Amino acid sequence: MKRVALLGMPNCGKSSLFNRVTGASARIGNWPGITVDLMRARILLGSHMVEVVDLPGIYDLNGYTEDEQVVRDFLSAQPVDLLIMVINAAQAERQLRLFLQARTLGVPIVVLFNMADEARRLGISIDRDAFTEHTGFAAHSISAKFGDGVPQALAQIGHMLGNTVASTPSFDALAAADLEHALDQLAHQCIDTPVTLSARHTDRIDRAALHPVLGPVLFIAAMALVFNAVFLLGAPLQEGIGAAFDWLRSAALVPLLAPLPAWVSGFLIEGIYNGVSTVATFVPLIVLFFFLMALVEDSGYLSRAAFLMDAFMSRLGLDGRSFVMLVMGFGCNVPALMGTRIMRARPLRLLTMLTIPLSLCSARLQVFLFIGAAVFPAVWAPWALLSLYLFSIAAAVLTAWLFRKKFASREPFALELPPYRLPTLRHVLLRGWHEVRHFVHRASRFIVAGVALVWLLTHLPVGVDAASTASWAGQIGSWLQPLLSPIGIDTQLTLALLFGFVAKEVMIGAMAVIFGQETSALGDTLAQHMNIAQAYSFMLFTLLYTPCLSTLATLQSESRDWRFTTLAVVWPLGLAWAVAWLAYTGLRALPL
């Protein structure tokens, strides 16, 4: 089988090309000797079965960031038949530097000038024939976003693979290459760039988006719009899926399992089925959230938010990259923690890693969506969710400010602002699908085992009332109750928090088992069990307290310091209790 690797700078559209070429067949690859997982997929190109690997975006093959080290390690350890060099055509003069380094590796290369449509709008033209004549490497102009030129490029790549032999690149010639001279020469011969690029529309938008006062207001308004759309569009889907699962339970599952012993049918129905079906009801909300966030991110707006926040973040000992990682943490804390490898200074990286677990990740989001819809009035629910995101950011700010001197760093910050783009529907669906699939895959590893364990703890020893104080679960909850009762969290909710430490995805499924309710009835039960003050306190505590096991494992593996990992557990736990107590005490004093 042939192997092809995609190489390029950040924001060149490399991952967009990978998604278009591989569709939904991509998966995470764990490579021997490589410290991070890489996206890979197997596709048919011509008569060859080809493994396509999406390498991290880097600026320099000689660089010292961990992403750059990962690329070097991969290319040194994994023989490749061909490199696909993806270059942003609108920034070709600068991005050709990486190509000039790559061509010394001794591996066949095909150069794809991506975003050719944007380059044309900016008046930039690239002479591909002249490029091939001067470099000896084939080149194509494509648009990964719209698919223009991609089939032709793939056809030539498939043809070239018939004459290639997998080889390990040599990095010996990199230091000797006269990059600057070769880059004056190549750009002059092959690229026609106007003296000034027209950016009137971008400038007009940025006057508002990057305004020091109006910019943050617009960002909050954009997020509020996303959250309201999630609730508005997702609620009917959530109710429909819940009703379908309830019908399947009563019409098929209960009669089918009736002949089994009571404890077996109870475990399968009340434990496994109730937990999984409850989680399934808020999958539409998660899907909508990821799709809408893909729209915001692909438009180029999130990079503006990072630029806007850099001046403020620098006062906290962080920079704009830290803000990007915090935003990435809204999807999942684990890849956001791994993304800090782009930071060369260890103190800056550690301080950023300390703040990331405070981001409201998608696993926490499902808990808040469910409780918000069940307990809060429909008009309040979106704003309650927005306030949790603001609390998440505030907690990260406070954490960075308090620990900024302990993790002081002077690493400079550089951020590339991509042009504003109108995302295509296909691109957004693919991006959203990859996020959702990753979420479902990760959740499925924990949910079944988690809800099964909850059922066992709430029904053992044999003969006790389910979830009573005599059960093992009740005993654990009663032991912790004095610590959490001041913030309105009772024994049953305490147990849900315990399982949330394993994975936040388990919490709603655990509640279904703890309260012994069907999918559609759990929301009504929670509404009767908790008032608004208790619900909001519980959500705040869930937002800030101890990160899940996978996040904790990543913190340890990335920091390689148990003292830092302990700090990342103890500090959020204390902060969560203090914030929840203030909210619970304050809300109880209001006439709600």
Side-chain angles (χ1 to χ4, degrees):
M1 183 172 61
K2 301 289 187 177
R3 178 178 293 152
V4 170
L6 297 179
L7 181 67
M9 290 188 177
N11 297 318
C12 68
K14 175 172 56 63
S15 295
S16 298
L17 176 64
F18 179 81
N19 290 337
R20 173 169 289 279
V21 170
T22 64
S25 64
R27 61 191 179 95
I28 301 294
N30 188 282
W31 298 92
I34 305 299
T35 57
V36 299
D37 293 334
L38 303 176
M39 291 295 292
R40 61 176 176 173
R42 293 181 179 180
I43 62 173
L44 186 65
L45 278 183
S47 60
H48 305 284
M49 181 57 67
V50 180
E51 183 173 54
V52 183
V53 183
D54 186 15
L55 297 175
I58 62 171
Y59 290 102
D60 192 339
L61 279 172
N62 284 320
Y64 298 98
T65 68
E66 291 200 36
D67 277 349
E68 290 160 341
Q69 184 63 49
V70 165
V71 171
R72 286 198 300 273
D73 288 347
F74 177 87
L75 293 177
S76 298
Q78 305 293 330
V80 295
D81 293 271
L82 185 131
L83 280 177
I84 298 179
M85 185 78 210
V86 183
I87 294 176
N88 181 348
Q91 302 170 356
E93 285 194 52
R94 183 173 62 81
Q95 297 202 2
L96 280 173
R97 180 185 303 273
L98 185 61
F99 160 74
L100 292 174
Q101 289 183 328
R103 73 173 183 174
T104 66
L105 297 177
V107 177
I109 300 176
V110 171
V111 179
L112 302 183
F113 289 100
N114 191 27
M115 306 182 191
D117 51 326
E118 290 187 5
R120 285 193 296 270
R121 285 198 298 269
L122 295 172
I124 299 173
S125 62
I126 299 174
D127 189 334
R128 294 183 288 110
D129 294 334
F131 178 89
T132 301
E133 179 182 348
H134 286 91
T135 65
F137 294 97
H140 293 266
S141 294
I142 68 166
S143 172
K145 180 178 175 181
F146 297 102
D148 299 339
V150 174
Q152 295 84 348
L154 292 179
Q156 181 173 19
I157 291 171
H159 177 73
M160 290 178 61
L161 287 173
N163 302 315
T164 63
V165 177
S167 59
T168 301
S170 170
F171 288 85
D172 296 338
L174 283 177
D178 188 358
L179 294 180
E180 292 300 329
H181 177 72
L183 186 65
D184 295 345
Q185 293 293 321
L186 187 58
H188 175 73
Q189 294 164 346
C190 307
I191 303 174
D192 183 15
T193 305
V195 178
T196 58
L197 300 180
S198 174
R200 290 179 299 169
H201 297 299
T202 296
D203 288 342
R204 288 175 183 174
I205 298 174
D206 282 346
R207 286 183 196 133
L210 300 180
H211 191 275
V213 177
L214 184 59
V217 175
L218 290 176
F219 181 71
I220 293 175
M223 293 299 100
L225 183 62
V226 168
F227 301 142
N228 276 277
V230 167
F231 276 102
L232 180 64
L233 301 176
L237 296 174
Q238 185 182 32
E239 294 174 1
I241 291 178
F245 271 100
D246 288 344
W247 175 86
L248 182 62
R249 169 186 164 131
S250 59
L253 197 59
V254 171
L256 179 65
L257 300 179
L260 297 177
W263 70 270
V264 176
S265 62
F267 175 73
L268 293 176
I269 297 175
E270 298 174 8
I272 303 297
Y273 186 80
N274 273 10
V276 173
S277 62
T278 300
V279 173
T281 59
F282 49 76
V283 167
L285 301 178
I286 298 294
V287 171
L288 284 170
F289 176 78
F290 278 132
F291 285 163
L292 292 174
M293 285 304 296
L295 278 172
V296 175
E297 182 178 355
D298 290 353
S299 68
Y301 182 59
L302 276 186
S303 297
R304 265 73 182 180
F307 179 83
L308 181 68
M309 295 297 295
D310 180 60
F312 173 72
M313 300 293 278
S314 64
R315 300 178 185 177
L316 306 173
L318 302 172
D319 63 18
R321 290 171 298 184
S322 304
F323 181 77
V324 172
M325 294 303 109
L326 284 171
V327 173
M328 183 184 296
F330 291 159
C332 179
N333 292 168
V334 172
L337 289 169
M338 296 173 65
T340 60
R341 294 171 180 172
I342 63 175
M343 302 171 182
R344 300 183 182 184
R346 179 172 171 81
L348 174 62
R349 189 181 179 203
L350 289 178
L351 185 58
T352 303
M353 289 172 63
L354 190 62
T355 62
I356 286 173
L358 300 171
S359 295
L360 198 164
C361 65
S362 60
R364 295 181 179 104
L365 175 65
Q366 61 181 274
V367 179
F368 302 152
L369 289 171
F370 193 90
I371 296 178
V375 180
F376 287 80
V379 178
W380 292 11
W383 301 106
L385 180 60
L386 177 61
S387 71
L388 291 173
Y389 273 90
L390 296 179
F391 266 113
S392 172
I393 295 173
V397 167
L398 176 63
T399 298
W401 184 79
L402 289 176
F403 293 96
R404 69 190 187 283
K405 293 183 179 179
K406 180 177 176 60
F407 302 102
S409 172
R410 296 184 178 276
E411 182 179 353
F413 169 63
L415 177 69
E416 183 176 323
L417 292 182
Y420 286 107
R421 303 184 180 98
L422 183 63
T424 62
L425 178 61
R426 184 182 188 276
H427 190 209
V428 169
L429 290 176
L430 276 176
R431 285 287 304 277
W433 167 244
H434 281 302
E435 295 286 352
V436 170
R437 190 180 62 170
H438 174 69
F439 163 75
V440 172
H441 173 72
R442 178 174 176 271
S444 64
R445 293 184 299 169
F446 295 103
I447 290 174
V448 174
V451 296
L453 183 58
V454 173
W455 191 92
L456 292 173
L457 287 177
T458 54
H459 287 75
L460 293 177
V462 177
V464 301
D465 293 333
S468 67
T469 55
S471 67
W472 290 348
Q475 294 173 32
I476 297 173
S478 298
W479 180 66
L480 292 172
Q481 187 56 31
L483 295 174
L484 298 178
S485 59
I487 59 176
I489 296 178
D490 60 14
T491 302
Q492 292 164 306
L493 295 176
T494 298
L495 187 59
L497 288 172
L498 287 176
F499 287 99
F501 171 66
V502 177
K504 300 301 185 292
E505 299 94 323
V506 177
M507 291 183 70
I508 297 298
M511 289 181 184
V513 176
I514 292 168
F515 290 103
Q517 295 295 329
E518 299 181 11
T519 301
S520 60
L522 179 60
D524 295 334
T525 301
L526 290 179
Q528 297 171 5
H529 189 80
M530 293 188 289
N531 56 39
I532 290 178
Q534 289 175 302
Y536 197 64
S537 173
F538 178 81
M539 290 194 292
L540 278 175
F541 194 83
T542 302
L543 168 67
L544 300 176
Y545 86 122
T546 309
C548 65
L549 278 179
S550 57
T551 299
L552 189 62
T554 306
L555 279 167
Q556 171 57 26
S557 64
E558 294 294 318
S559 67
R560 301 181 182 92
D561 187 341
W562 276 109
R563 293 175 300 174
F564 175 80
T565 305
T566 302
L567 174 64
V569 171
V570 174
W571 162 248
L573 190 60
L575 180 63
W577 193 95
V579 172
W581 182 83
L582 289 172
Y584 182 62
T585 304
L587 288 173
R588 288 182 66 191
L590 298 177
L592 298 176

